[in-house]
Amino acid sequence: EPEVTQTPSHQVTQMGQEVILRCVPISNHLYFYWYRQILGQKVEFLVSFYNNEISEKSEIFDDQFSVERPDGSNFTLKIRSTKLEDSAMYFCASSERTEAFFGQGTRLTVV
Amino acid sequence: AQTVTQSQPEMSVQEAETVTLSCTYDTSENNYYLFWYKQPPSRQMILVIRQEAYKQQNATENRFSVNFQKAAKSFSLKISDSQLGDTAMYFCALIPDTNAGKSTFGDGTTLTVKP
């Protein structure tokens, strides 16, 4: 069964460093998303991506964040100059239209 | 604004019993989709069941079923014959048909199934 895969499963980084979280969406899906879940809190929408551009982004998705689909298969989330409060679980998801399939998540720890 | 509310932060149920998790929502969209996702301790997000708002028939997926009341904007999840593996956080989510990116999740309900 096709699935969304995310790497790495856990990333530890020092405050101020840049991190890139990687995702391989399901191959025939057209919409791609990043979500964030701070420990103990709800899942928060960050950004959606369609037709090689951002289609929607939340207020959380500021200039510190960027997304890219560099090679037609990977979908990346870059966080520049990480802060302690960026520590969270980051989920990638993809969909053909509305039913989003989630990856297993990347746990980001900023120290 | 689009909102999803889960009023039960925690619930527990005995193994083999039935439990219902509640979810209410508000949206100005005419058509939308509603989902229940399960997040076990591994923190992976797993789709449990989906409901298209234009369909009156309640969705069912094995032991999981929903009670969708469109007029009341209510979307509850019923888990029958609860199993220990059902222990997880459950999230209700809404996605409008016109904007797949504008998804909103509830705060979640932590369900514990007791042996």
Side-chain angles (χ1 to χ4, degrees):
Chain A
E1 187 175 326
E3 59 180 17
V4 177
T5 56
Q6 289 186 244
T7 54
S9 56
H10 190 190
Q11 171 108 36
V12 181
T13 188
Q14 287 204 322
M15 192 169 56
Q17 295 296 304
E18 174 183 286
V19 295
I20 298 176
L21 310 183
R22 302 180 192 280
C23 169
V24 179
I26 294 173
S27 61
N28 62 331
H29 285 184
L30 303 176
Y31 298 85
F32 314 111
Y33 316 91
W34 282 102
Y35 293 84
R36 178 181 81 176
Q37 186 185 31
I38 296 171
L39 186 62
Q41 298 186 20
K42 71 160 75 176
V43 177
E44 300 173 293
F45 168 74
L46 291 177
V47 66
S48 61
F49 194 84
Y50 172 73
N51 201 24
N52 288 320
E53 60 183 21
I54 291 174
S55 53
E56 183 104 16
K57 60 181 180 178
S58 71
E59 59 275 9
I60 302 168
F61 194 87
D62 59 21
D63 292 343
Q64 181 195 14
F65 296 92
S66 63
V67 290
E68 200 175 42
R69 192 161 156 78
D71 56 11
S73 61
N74 289 285
F75 179 52
T76 62
L77 174 70
K78 182 189 290 185
I79 310 175
R80 288 182 277 274
S81 188
T82 49
K83 304 186 284 255
L84 294 176
E85 53 266 36
D86 293 327
S87 293
M89 197 78 165
Y90 288 81
F91 291 100
C92 172
S94 70
S95 69
E96 275 189 277
R97 192 147 188 251
T98 54
E99 182 174 332
F101 291 83
F102 283 78
Q104 73 275 34
T106 293
R107 186 187 303 272
L108 176 65
T109 304
V110 182
V111 297
Chain B
Q2 189 170 281
T3 61
V4 175
T5 303
Q6 292 177 249
S7 59
Q8 306 150 314
E10 295 181 2
M11 291 195 72
S12 63
V13 64
Q14 290 295 132
E15 194 175 8
E17 297 290 305
T18 295
V19 64
T20 299
L21 309 183
S22 67
C23 173
T24 57
Y25 62 91
D26 194 18
T27 180
S28 57
E29 299 285 338
N30 290 324
N31 197 23
Y32 47 90
Y33 296 78
L34 294 159
F35 301 86
W36 278 99
Y37 285 95
K38 170 185 175 181
Q39 187 178 43
S42 65
R43 298 194 72 188
Q44 184 176 359
M45 199 70 75
I46 302 166
L47 178 66
V48 175
I49 199 165
R50 61 174 278 172
Q51 173 83 42
E52 290 98 336
Y54 61 85
K55 289 187 177 178
Q56 292 188 348
Q57 186 174 6
N58 289 325
T60 299
E61 194 72 39
N62 300 315
R63 297 183 295 107
F64 299 88
S65 62
V66 298
N67 183 5
F68 174 49
Q69 303 287 329
K70 190 173 183 179
K73 294 185 177 176
S74 169
F75 180 62
S76 60
L77 174 69
K78 185 171 84 170
I79 306 174
S80 305
D81 185 25
S82 298
Q83 299 175 0
L84 296 178
D86 295 333
T87 293
M89 179 86 107
Y90 288 81
F91 290 96
C92 178
L94 182 151
I95 297 176
D97 191 32
T98 54
N99 188 343
K102 197 179 170 186
S103 51
T104 303
F105 281 74
D107 287 338
T109 296
T110 300
L111 175 68
T112 303
V113 180
K114 298 179 178 178

